[in-house]
Amino acid sequence: MKHLQLRFWILVCIVAISGLSQGMLMPLIAIIFENDGVDSSLNGLNASGLYIGILLASPLMEAPLRRFGYRPLLIAGAGTVVIAFALFPVWKSFWFWFILRLIIGIGDNMLHFSTQTWITSFSPLHKRGRNIAIYGLFFSLGFAVGPLLAGLVQYNEALPFILSSGVTLIAWLAIFLLKNEKPEQLIQTTSIMGTFGRFKQVFAYAWVAFLPPLGYGFLEASLNGNFPVYALRRGLDIDAVSLLLPAFAIGSIIFQIPLGVLSDRFGRRKLLMAIMLGGAFIFFIAGNVQESILGLSLCFLTAGMIVGSTYSLGISYMADLLSADLLPAGNIMCSVFFSFGSMIGPFIGGNVIKHFSGGSFFFMFTIMLIFICGALAMFRQKQHRSQKSAA
C-alpha cells in the first residue's frame, strides 16, 4: 500500500513540474517575441510548435509503452525536456525555438501519456474521478507558477529557461525510484497498425469524451499564448500579465478535486454540460469588462474554477466508457484532441486579435464552449449505455 501511495505522489509531482514548464514557456516566448516586434499571428504559430510535437508523437506512444512499460517512457520524456530547455539560450531564432518547442511537445507527450495511463489503470472506479482530479490539480499548480517564472525575463532572458531545465532534471531523477510496470495485455498485437485499429474502436465508443480535452487545450493555449500579446497591446505591463494568467490556474486548483468528487457521485456527462455552459457565460462577461484589471482577474479566477477541470474530467469520462485494454489508446486520443485544440488555439486567437476588436478574443471561447456542450447533449443515454456495455 505504501508503495502504491509513493508511486501515485511521484507521478503527480512529475506532472506538476511538467505543468510549470508549459505554463512558463508559452507566455515567456510570447512576451519575448512581442517585444521583438514579431507579428501576433506568427507568435501564435510558434506557440503551436509544442502541441504539434505532442500531436506527431501521439500515435507512436502506445507500442513502446506496451513493450517497455511506463518507467522507460517517463525517463525518455523527462530527459528530452531537460535538454531542450537547456538549448533555448544557445541561439535565439524563431525557427530554432519552434523546433525546440516541438521537441518539448514530444517529451511532454511521453510524460503525460505515461502518467495518466498509469494512474487510470490502477485507480478503482469509485476513486477514479478523485485521483484524476489530483493529477489535474498538480498540473494546474505547476501551470500557475509557470507565468511567474516568465516574469523573470525582465532581469535575464536566459534565466527562466535554465531554471525550468533544472527543475525538470529533479523530476527525471525521481523517476528512478519507481518500479516499472506494463499496461494490461488483453490484446495480441503491439504494432502501429494495431494501435490505429484500437483508435477506431476507442473513437466509436468514447468520441464525446475527447471534446473536453480539445476545448481545454484550445482555451489554455490561447490564454497563455495570445493573452500576453492582447494585454500588452491594451497597455498592460508584464507584471500585470504575470499575475492575471495564474488566476485561471488558481481557480482550477480550488475546484479541481471537488469537481472530480462530484463527477464520481453525479456522473461525468451531466457535470461537463453544466460547466461548459457556465464557462461560456463567464467568458461572455470577460469580453464586456476587458477594460478592468479587477474584472478580468475575477473572470479568469471564476473561469478556472468552472472549466479548469475539463481535461481531467474528460479523461475520467473516457475511462468510464472504455475497457481496461483500450485505456492506453484512449489516453492517446485524449492527448491527440488536447494537442489539436492547443495547436489551433493560438493561431486562431492570434488572428482574432489581429482582425477583430472589442471582446472578440473572449467571445471566441464562449462560442467554443457552447459547441462542446451541444455535442455532449447529443450523446444520448441509450447510446452511452450500449457503448459502455460493448466496451
Side-chain angles (χ1 to χ4, degrees):
M1 183 61 69
K2 289 183 179 179
H3 172 72
L4 292 176
Q5 291 178 346
L6 177 64
R7 177 178 63 186
F8 177 74
W9 290 111
I10 288 177
L11 291 176
V12 296
C13 286
I14 291 170
V15 169
I17 292 173
S18 176
L20 183 145
S21 299
Q22 289 188 35
M24 180 211 72
L25 188 63
M26 295 194 69
L28 171 63
I29 296 183
I31 290 169
I32 291 173
F33 282 162
E34 177 66 14
N35 289 336
D36 289 348
V38 176
D39 185 84
S40 63
S41 59
L42 288 176
N43 205 330
L45 175 64
N46 194 279
S48 68
L50 177 75
Y51 303 102
I52 292 174
I54 295 174
L55 195 62
L56 291 175
S58 291
L60 308 177
M61 291 293 104
E62 190 194 27
L65 178 68
R66 291 188 181 277
R67 182 176 180 182
F68 301 111
Y70 297 105
R71 196 177 79 158
L73 237 62
L74 288 171
I75 292 171
T80 300
V81 173
V82 169
I83 295 170
F85 267 112
L87 289 175
F88 271 99
V90 173
W91 183 27
K92 186 179 180 181
S93 163
F94 182 92
W95 290 112
F96 180 63
W97 281 14
F98 179 85
I99 293 171
L100 288 179
R101 290 176 106 164
L102 190 146
I103 293 171
I104 289 174
I106 295 172
D108 272 335
N109 184 291
M110 295 180 185
L111 289 176
H112 284 282
F113 171 57
S114 301
T115 52
Q116 73 188 35
T117 305
W118 208 348
I119 292 172
T120 52
S121 67
F122 67 68
S123 296
L125 181 61
H126 67 283
K127 290 185 178 180
R128 181 176 290 153
R130 189 207 68 169
N131 285 354
I132 297 299
I134 294 173
Y135 167 92
L137 169 65
F138 272 67
F139 180 83
S140 298
L141 283 169
F143 211 90
V145 176
L148 298 178
L149 290 183
L152 297 175
V153 69
Q154 57 190 318
Y155 304 108
N156 186 302
E157 195 169 274
L159 182 59
F161 297 112
I162 295 171
L163 284 176
S164 185
S165 180
V167 172
T168 309
L169 179 61
I170 296 173
W172 182 78
L173 294 172
I175 296 170
F176 288 92
L177 298 174
L178 299 173
K179 182 180 179 181
N180 191 31
E181 290 184 0
K182 295 182 180 181
E184 187 171 340
Q185 300 284 0
L186 300 180
I187 57 175
Q188 299 300 316
T189 176
T190 58
S191 67
I192 297 297
M193 292 306 296
T195 295
F196 280 102
R198 287 185 288 279
F199 284 165
K200 185 177 179 180
Q201 286 182 286
V202 164
F203 189 80
Y205 294 146
W207 64 269
V208 75
F210 306 131
L211 297 182
L214 183 147
Y216 184 76
F218 186 102
L219 175 62
E220 177 195 72
S222 298
L223 283 179
N224 287 278
N226 297 134
F227 181 72
V229 175
Y230 173 83
L232 291 174
R233 292 189 178 187
R234 299 192 74 84
L236 299 178
D237 58 23
I238 293 175
D239 289 333
V241 174
S242 297
L243 291 174
L244 276 170
L245 283 177
F248 179 86
I250 291 170
S252 67
I253 289 168
I254 295 172
F255 264 54
Q256 191 85 222
I257 294 178
L259 286 175
V261 173
L262 286 174
S263 74
D264 285 333
R265 183 173 181 182
F266 298 108
R268 247 75 75 173
R269 177 173 169 265
K270 291 180 180 179
L271 186 63
L272 280 166
M273 290 175 63
I275 64 178
M276 291 299 166
L277 285 178
F281 179 69
I282 293 300
F283 281 113
F284 179 78
I285 293 177
N288 288 284
V289 298
Q290 58 181 326
E291 302 299 330
S292 168
I293 295 178
L294 177 60
L296 282 179
S297 298
L298 291 174
C299 286
F300 274 44
L301 179 67
T302 309
M305 293 167 67
I306 296 174
V307 299
S309 303
T310 49
Y311 182 75
S312 58
L313 286 173
I315 294 174
S316 300
Y317 191 26
M318 174 274 300
D320 293 343
L321 297 172
L322 297 177
S323 55
D325 61 309
L326 291 178
L327 283 181
N331 278 281
I332 287 176
M333 291 291 284
C334 282
S335 295
V336 166
F337 275 76
F338 171 79
S339 304
F340 181 70
S342 302
M343 185 175 63
I344 64 174
F347 183 72
I348 293 176
N351 279 284
V352 168
I353 293 172
K354 183 176 181 180
H355 298 293
F356 298 94
S357 59
S360 300
F361 177 69
F362 295 108
F363 298 152
M364 171 182 70
F365 301 132
T366 296
I367 294 170
M368 181 265 296
L369 292 172
I370 290 175
F371 170 79
I372 295 176
C373 182
L376 286 162
M378 290 172 56
F379 193 69
R380 301 299 180 188
Q381 189 68 27
K382 180 179 178 181
Q383 191 178 17
H384 174 202
R385 285 173 181 166
S386 65
Q387 287 178 351
K388 188 172 181 181
S389 175

